[in-house]
Amino acid sequence: MKKFQIGILGLGTVGTGVIEILREQSENFKKRFGVSFQTKKVLVKNINKKRSVDLQGIELTEKIEDIIGDPDIDIVIELIGGKTIAKKAIIASLEAKKNVISANKDLIADDGRQLADLAEKNNVGFYYEAAVAGAIPILRALENSLDSDRIESINGIINGTSNFILSKMRQQKMSYRQALSLAQELGFAEADPTNDVDGIDAAYKLQILADFAFGKQIEQKDIQMSGIRTVTQQDLNDVSELGYEIKLLANASLIDGRLQFSVGPTLVPKDHPLASVQNENNAIFVSAAYAGGLMFYGPGAGKLPTANSVIADLLELTSKAPKNPRFNSQFKSDTALAGPKNRIASRYIVFKVADRPGAMHKLSGFFLMSNINFRNIRQYDPIDGSTRVVIITYPASDAQLNPVKTTIRQAKGVEIVHEFKLLERK
Amino acid sequence: MKKFQIGILGLGTVGTGVIEILREQSENFKKRFGVSFQTKKVLVKNINKKRSVDLQGIELTEKIEDIIGDPDIDIVIELIGGKTIAKKAIIASLEAKKNVISANKDLIADDGRQLADLAEKNNVGFYYEAAVAGAIPILRALENSLDSDRIESINGIINGTSNFILSKMRQQKMSYRQALSLAQELGFAEADPTNDVDGIDAAYKLQILADFAFGKQIEQKDIQMSGIRTVTQQDLNDVSELGYEIKLLANASLIDGRLQFSVGPTLVPKDHPLASVQNENNAIFVSAAYAGGLMFYGPGAGKLPTANSVIADLLELTSKAPKNPRFNSQFKSDTALAGPKNRIASRYIVFKVADRPGAMHKLSGFFLMSNINFRNIRQYDPIDGSTRVVIITYPASDAQLNPVKTTIRQAKGVEIVHEFKLLERK
């Protein structure tokens, strides 16, 4: 029997779930894996607060040093979140030759590679499956099953809040505001929903996915980002008639040897598996040269789903790879990022156009200048002197499209309401 | 650089794919994983046959002993299929301390545990991700990410041929016969489709999944099996109006501490992720106590998708777990199998009933005897003196239902056309 002592930083939702699972599965893990875990200490903000979870035999502390300085603790599970204290604690733990498991996507998005290198230098493990898409074992699948392949693209619904809002808008004809309120009532969205609805949370996860899929550590500024605040019932209806659903997709694509990254509302063909992912669920669709199109679907958040990913890391660390703990395969590529010429996609663009003769002729002329071809065009009945025009283009690069947009911004009687990308049918 | 010499048994579709990927990725694998593979020998039926794949530097042989008796060969990849020769070859290879990778579901379904034990005894690896669901890394996910969890059920679309046929029947209103012919034309179905359409192929894969998910080695006789030959357009329409699709599902469920296994046409609620899995694709939906509902989707067959799973095994064996090669976790449980009292499901039952007064009264009386309640009832306009009656029951056990069926078989003026299970909404 191998015995391990654990220190947990943070006793919020996920920390509580971790303690619950460790209690429930204690006998099972001894029997099946020959490992025994003792949760020795847990860092909390207030040791006097009442807790719902059984903490018998566990020492609560408000001092982080009590845990990272405790020589008996083999494994630190970091669940406090944030970038500053968490980073210091992880570095100190790794340097003290403690294994670390974390669910901290914000931190790992930017510093994951640096921390993984530090773990390797100290011959300990640094695992963080729970940081991306909750219960879905997507990082381990990329690491252990798709490392043999050449990945071409990743398209993920990796923000449950946004997907919940878009689902309710579609299923129950709610407005964005109504759906957001419902999400807030049900605890799927925070009082300030910025991180979720503007794509920031999805972008953090995309940074981590990019590292595992393409061996490339990127920064948030490398990602073209837009959120779901401007999506309307009319958009959902327009695209539904044309055979699409709108999803907030995080995309990473390798096109012509260059990598491009975006997060934004995206038209997904209804027969694509991502189109039917509903409510707060997450799904990641991976296109690879050999495996083809694979999708990994499941709960992207929640106490036990996320805690299960932490526990799976714990078992790998202690039972399967105790001598060579390695999560991020140190896959490093120097693939260039795409510039405007290489960032190619079909686009759904909505215009507000003055209701007068020649308006469409003028608008279509702007696109002709850049040789951009249209796949679908719809003009709707005018309201109050202006008309809604929806155009879906064939694939066009940012280099083609940007001058068109600049021209339109300077033109009279036409404005761009918004622009979403299309996920191409495969 | 670690160097490995490989012998491949069988140069069919998957074997060709393995050789192609190893050629294409040779430099990449050296750089990224520090491993170098040389395909030394390949077993073929006829060494004079023309091959499309580049075989430069590879020795072809018609004698299996040339490979399993070659002391230079470290890893044997078994792709000949079948139970007799393949089993002997795998046993001989493991006993000669060679690692083995196989895609042979028929063999592993019954003998996987025995072969895994033999591999462990000889301290070599026996990997077979490719045996279930082609490119989908479902065995590794069960082994490495869900071993921390308590799995409650698995529902899989794991026979691409059947799913293709049912999809075409639904999408293009084809009859079963027409859809089967199309599948045969496109190479998705064999001249004798028995293994696919009667659920035998899915049952083999279910046996392997049962071992990984529940630690239980079962035999094909432990699985309640039925196929898709009797599914009609009328069935697909009936259930669509009630909110379901029909899919050939392989099911393993742990209910009240007992395991039950079935393969058969199943009514899947349209909002369940399995309902939208189209054509030849596979998907496995896992329900677990902590993780919740996870789905793994992708190509279940094909040259490169299946070969990629073989290569992923090869990398794990050589680069990640060289000292402790272990695929099947030796998870052994003595969970009992469910008897008729514990095999509980809602059922869709189609009857042919004589068109006369009292017919429904008589039929409903039979169900009342066993206290089975109905969720939906539909009777259709009579044709040629008999009428189609469709009943969906609430959950009922085989012990409740079997006497009803016996009574109906002996009654006049009513017969059972067929009976499918329902996948319950979660």
Side-chain angles (χ1 to χ4, degrees):
Chain A
M1 185 71 61
K2 291 181 283 180
K3 292 184 183 185
F4 299 92
Q5 300 208 46
I6 295 172
I8 301 178
L9 310 182
L11 189 52
T13 311
V14 180
T16 304
V18 167
I19 290 174
E20 284 177 18
I21 296 177
L22 285 176
R23 281 211 192 281
E24 270 186 43
Q25 296 277 57
S26 165
E27 286 311 305
N28 183 28
F29 290 166
K30 282 181 197 165
K31 214 168 58 182
R32 183 162 165 197
F33 302 103
V35 292
S36 151
F37 300 112
Q38 190 210 337
T39 308
K40 191 179 179 199
K41 293 178 185 169
V42 176
L43 178 74
V44 293
K45 278 193 193 137
N46 176 357
I47 59 167
N48 297 314
K49 189 177 160 186
K50 265 270 180 201
R51 312 275 171 181
S52 60
V53 63
D54 177 7
L55 294 172
Q56 209 189 339
I58 300 175
E59 186 186 332
L60 297 189
T61 173
E62 294 174 4
K63 287 188 206 135
I64 203 162
E65 295 73 24
D66 281 352
I67 293 177
I68 57 183
D70 183 338
D72 292 344
I73 288 178
D74 309 294
I75 299 160
V76 171
I77 300 178
E78 183 276 306
L79 302 169
I80 46 179
K83 298 195 184 184
T84 316
I85 301 171
K87 185 172 176 182
K88 276 188 197 157
I90 292 174
I91 289 175
S93 300
L94 294 172
E95 286 179 341
K97 312 250 184 244
K98 295 182 193 310
N99 296 286
V100 174
I101 297 169
S102 170
N104 189 334
K105 59 181 174 301
D106 308 27
L107 172 64
I108 294 164
D110 286 324
D111 296 325
R113 186 52 70 98
Q114 181 200 336
L115 296 172
D117 287 348
L118 183 62
E120 199 178 356
K121 204 178 116 192
N122 286 285
N123 199 32
V124 289
F126 177 52
Y127 285 73
Y128 45 93
E129 179 66 80
V132 178
I136 306 175
I138 181 63
L139 298 183
R140 200 163 271 120
L142 291 168
E143 170 87 1
N144 290 340
S145 298
L146 291 163
D147 53 345
S148 48
D149 212 323
R150 290 187 286 107
I151 293 176
E152 293 163 349
S153 67
I154 287 191
N155 283 285
I157 294 172
I158 49 179
N159 180 267
T161 308
S162 300
N163 201 56
F164 179 87
I165 291 171
L166 292 172
S167 296
K168 290 301 160 196
M169 288 175 69
R170 183 94 174 94
Q171 296 158 4
Q172 296 173 29
K173 307 283 168 210
M174 288 182 176
S175 68
Y176 168 77
R177 280 271 139 225
Q178 290 169 321
L180 172 60
S181 295
L182 178 63
Q184 285 167 328
E185 268 171 44
L186 295 175
F188 293 137
E190 320 228 356
D192 174 3
T194 306
N195 265 11
D196 290 321
V197 302
D198 289 344
I200 299 164
D201 173 81
Y204 282 135
K205 296 167 185 164
L206 182 62
Q207 287 180 261
I208 300 173
L209 288 170
D211 196 14
F212 276 71
F214 298 105
K216 185 89 185 171
Q217 177 138 32
I218 59 166
E219 296 173 53
Q220 198 138 103
K221 70 170 176 51
D222 300 323
I223 302 172
Q224 288 190 316
M225 274 168 65
S226 60
I228 62 165
R229 289 184 202 257
T230 69
V231 177
T232 63
Q233 272 300 328
Q234 178 126 40
D235 291 318
L236 295 171
N237 282 334
D238 289 352
V239 308
S240 177
E241 286 171 15
L242 296 167
Y244 301 94
E245 302 288 344
I246 296 178
K247 296 287 182 188
L248 183 75
L249 285 197
N251 166 268
S253 298
L254 183 65
I255 298 180
D256 297 334
R258 285 167 182 270
L259 281 166
Q260 57 180 284
F261 301 96
S262 66
V263 171
T266 306
L267 274 60
V268 179
K270 284 185 184 182
D271 60 0
H272 192 287
L274 285 170
S276 43
V277 175
Q278 295 299 319
N279 301 328
E280 71 277 17
N281 287 299
N282 281 201
I284 297 106
F285 193 92
V286 182
S287 295
Y290 310 133
L294 296 173
M295 189 172 83
F296 302 84
Y297 164 101
K303 181 171 78 170
L304 293 174
T306 309
N308 188 64
S309 284
V310 171
I311 303 290
D313 282 350
L314 187 63
L315 288 175
E316 177 160 334
L317 187 57
T318 53
S319 142
K320 279 166 244 161
K323 282 173 195 151
N324 183 26
R326 192 178 58 171
F327 187 50
N328 183 316
S329 70
Q330 301 302 309
F331 168 30
K332 289 178 189 177
S333 97
D334 52 5
T335 313
L337 297 187
K341 274 191 200 168
N342 301 94
R343 286 199 303 267
I344 294 168
S346 296
R347 328 275 173 146
Y348 160 88
I349 313 176
V350 179
F351 303 90
K352 191 176 165 188
V353 177
D355 177 26
R356 59 175 176 245
M360 176 54 82
H361 187 68
K362 192 162 126 186
L363 181 61
S364 56
F366 296 150
F367 282 87
L368 180 59
M369 287 187 333
S370 273
N371 205 30
I372 295 173
N373 195 8
F374 301 149
R375 186 184 285 181
N376 296 93
I377 303 172
R378 291 194 166 200
Q379 179 181 330
Y380 293 84
D381 277 344
I383 298 168
D384 298 333
S386 70
T387 177
R388 176 181 172 90
V389 172
V390 171
I391 287 176
I392 295 182
T393 73
Y394 277 99
S397 69
D398 281 358
Q400 282 175 285
L401 196 66
N402 287 341
V404 178
K405 291 198 278 191
T406 305
T407 309
I408 291 172
R409 262 182 233 111
Q410 291 157 357
K412 278 184 187 160
V414 52
E415 64 185 78
I416 297 175
V417 177
H418 50 210
E419 172 206 339
F420 305 153
K421 289 186 180 176
L422 269 71
L423 178 63
E424 300 295 333
R425 289 170 205 274
K426 277 246 170 185
Chain B
M1 185 71 60
K2 290 181 284 181
K3 292 185 183 184
F4 298 92
Q5 300 208 48
I6 296 171
I8 301 178
L9 310 182
L11 189 52
T13 310
V14 180
T16 303
V18 166
I19 291 174
E20 285 177 17
I21 296 177
L22 284 176
R23 281 210 191 283
E24 270 186 43
Q25 295 277 59
S26 166
E27 286 310 305
N28 183 28
F29 290 166
K30 283 181 196 167
K31 213 167 59 182
R32 182 162 165 196
F33 301 104
V35 292
S36 150
F37 300 112
Q38 188 210 339
T39 309
K40 191 177 179 201
K41 293 178 184 169
V42 177
L43 178 74
V44 293
K45 278 195 193 135
N46 176 358
I47 58 167
N48 298 314
K49 189 177 159 186
K50 264 272 180 200
R51 311 276 170 180
S52 59
V53 62
D54 176 7
L55 294 170
Q56 210 192 337
I58 300 175
E59 187 186 331
L60 296 190
T61 173
E62 294 175 6
K63 287 187 208 138
I64 203 162
E65 296 73 22
D66 282 352
I67 293 177
I68 57 184
D70 183 338
D72 293 343
I73 288 178
D74 309 294
I75 299 159
V76 171
I77 300 178
E78 184 276 304
L79 301 168
I80 46 180
K83 297 195 185 185
T84 317
I85 300 171
K87 185 173 175 180
K88 276 188 197 158
I90 291 174
I91 289 174
S93 300
L94 294 173
E95 286 179 340
K97 314 257 182 231
K98 295 182 195 307
N99 296 287
V100 174
I101 297 168
S102 171
N104 189 334
K105 61 182 173 301
D106 308 26
L107 172 63
I108 295 165
D110 286 325
D111 297 324
R113 185 55 67 100
Q114 181 201 335
L115 297 172
D117 287 347
L118 184 63
E120 199 177 356
K121 205 178 115 191
N122 286 286
N123 200 30
V124 289
F126 178 52
Y127 285 73
Y128 45 94
E129 179 67 80
V132 178
I136 306 174
I138 181 63
L139 298 183
R140 200 162 273 121
L142 291 169
E143 169 88 1
N144 290 341
S145 299
L146 291 163
D147 53 346
S148 48
D149 212 323
R150 290 186 286 107
I151 293 176
E152 294 163 350
S153 67
I154 287 191
N155 283 284
I157 294 173
I158 50 180
N159 180 266
T161 308
S162 299
N163 201 56
F164 178 87
I165 291 171
L166 292 173
S167 296
K168 291 300 160 194
M169 289 175 70
R170 183 92 175 93
Q171 295 159 6
Q172 295 174 27
K173 308 283 168 208
M174 288 182 178
S175 69
Y176 168 77
R177 279 271 139 223
Q178 289 169 320
L180 172 61
S181 295
L182 178 62
Q184 285 166 328
E185 267 171 45
L186 295 174
F188 292 137
E190 320 227 357
D192 174 3
T194 305
N195 265 12
D196 290 322
V197 302
D198 289 345
I200 299 164
D201 172 82
Y204 283 134
K205 295 167 185 164
L206 183 61
Q207 287 179 259
I208 301 172
L209 288 170
D211 196 14
F212 275 71
F214 297 106
K216 185 88 183 172
Q217 177 137 32
I218 60 166
E219 296 173 52
Q220 197 135 101
K221 71 171 175 50
D222 300 323
I223 301 172
Q224 288 190 316
M225 271 169 66
S226 60
I228 62 165
R229 289 183 203 258
T230 69
V231 177
T232 63
Q233 272 300 327
Q234 178 126 39
D235 291 316
L236 296 172
N237 283 335
D238 289 353
V239 308
S240 177
E241 285 171 15
L242 296 166
Y244 300 94
E245 302 288 344
I246 296 178
K247 295 288 181 186
L248 183 75
L249 286 198
N251 166 267
S253 298
L254 183 65
I255 297 180
D256 298 335
R258 286 168 182 269
L259 280 166
Q260 56 180 284
F261 301 95
S262 66
V263 171
T266 306
L267 274 61
V268 179
K270 284 185 184 181
D271 60 1
H272 191 287
L274 285 170
S276 43
V277 175
Q278 296 298 320
N279 301 328
E280 72 276 18
N281 287 298
N282 279 202
I284 297 106
F285 193 92
V286 182
S287 295
Y290 311 132
L294 295 174
M295 190 171 85
F296 302 84
Y297 164 101
K303 181 171 77 170
L304 294 174
T306 309
N308 188 64
S309 283
V310 171
I311 303 290
D313 282 350
L314 188 62
L315 288 175
E316 177 160 334
L317 188 57
T318 54
S319 140
K320 279 166 245 164
K323 280 172 197 156
N324 183 26
R326 193 176 57 170
F327 186 51
N328 183 316
S329 70
Q330 300 303 309
F331 169 29
K332 289 178 190 178
S333 99
D334 51 4
T335 313
L337 297 188
K341 274 190 199 169
N342 301 93
R343 285 198 304 265
I344 294 168
S346 295
R347 328 275 174 146
Y348 161 88
I349 314 176
V350 179
F351 304 89
K352 191 176 166 188
V353 179
D355 178 26
R356 57 176 177 245
M360 176 54 82
H361 187 69
K362 191 163 127 187
L363 181 60
S364 56
F366 296 151
F367 282 88
L368 180 59
M369 289 187 331
S370 274
N371 205 28
I372 295 172
N373 194 9
F374 301 148
R375 185 183 283 181
N376 296 92
I377 304 172
R378 293 196 163 199
Q379 180 182 328
Y380 294 83
D381 278 344
I383 298 169
D384 298 333
S386 71
T387 175
R388 175 182 172 90
V389 173
V390 171
I391 287 176
I392 296 182
T393 73
Y394 277 98
S397 69
D398 280 357
Q400 282 175 285
L401 196 66
N402 286 341
V404 178
K405 291 199 277 190
T406 304
T407 310
I408 290 172
R409 261 183 234 113
Q410 291 156 357
K412 278 185 186 160
V414 52
E415 63 185 81
I416 296 175
V417 179
H418 50 211
E419 172 206 339
F420 305 153
K421 289 186 180 173
L422 269 72
L423 178 64
E424 300 295 332
R425 288 170 206 273
K426 278 248 171 181

